[in-house]
Amino acid sequence: MKTIGLLVLSNIFMTFAWYAHLRNLRTRHWLIAVAVSWGIAFFEYLIQVPANRIGYGRFSLAQLKILQEVITLSVFVPFAVLYMGTTLTWNYLWAGFCLAGAVFFIFR
């Protein structure tokens, strides 16, 4: 549970590092967006690296990766809809089904 909680938290940071500048800094020079994103990503790595170290004994490397992808989509969809104002489409559901298949195969 600790690994999953830390990965969710790190994904929140990373999603903001990767995409929030598209909304908040779009009128600024791209180098400013890079500097801000790196600053946010630093804190993401402070959470993500321990999460993977804690989880590596419990999960295989492949399981950690698939878990990360599921968490990424779980964080990204609400971010995209609520923060960035994109429209929720069926494609998010289909992507979720694909990830559910990946979870099934990697954890069996």
Side-chain angles (χ1 to χ4, degrees):
M1 263 334 251
K2 186 183 275 189
T3 297
I4 293 170
L6 289 172
L7 287 174
V8 168
L9 189 58
S10 75
N11 257 279
I12 292 169
F13 276 97
M14 201 55 164
T15 300
F16 274 88
W18 281 13
Y19 302 109
H21 65 88
L22 298 173
R23 174 181 165 186
N24 300 326
L25 300 173
R26 73 174 156 232
T27 61
R28 302 288 184 121
H29 194 276
W30 68 270
L31 284 174
I32 293 172
V34 167
V36 170
S37 293
W38 278 355
I40 296 169
F42 172 76
F43 292 102
E44 185 269 341
Y45 276 96
L46 289 176
I47 302 166
Q48 180 266 338
V49 169
N52 281 332
R53 285 177 165 238
I54 292 166
Y56 185 57
R58 168 98 167 87
F59 302 106
S60 71
L61 185 61
Q63 289 172 333
L64 273 173
K65 180 59 182 169
I66 295 300
L67 187 60
Q68 176 71 33
E69 296 305 325
V70 169
I71 291 169
T72 297
L73 188 62
S74 299
V75 169
F76 178 77
V77 171
F79 172 84
V81 172
L82 299 173
Y83 188 79
M84 296 296 290
T86 61
T87 304
L88 186 62
T89 66
W90 286 103
N91 290 338
Y92 290 113
L93 179 66
W94 306 136
F97 283 146
C98 290
L99 283 174
V103 168
F104 171 77
F105 287 112
I106 207 70
F107 279 90
R108 70 182 179 131

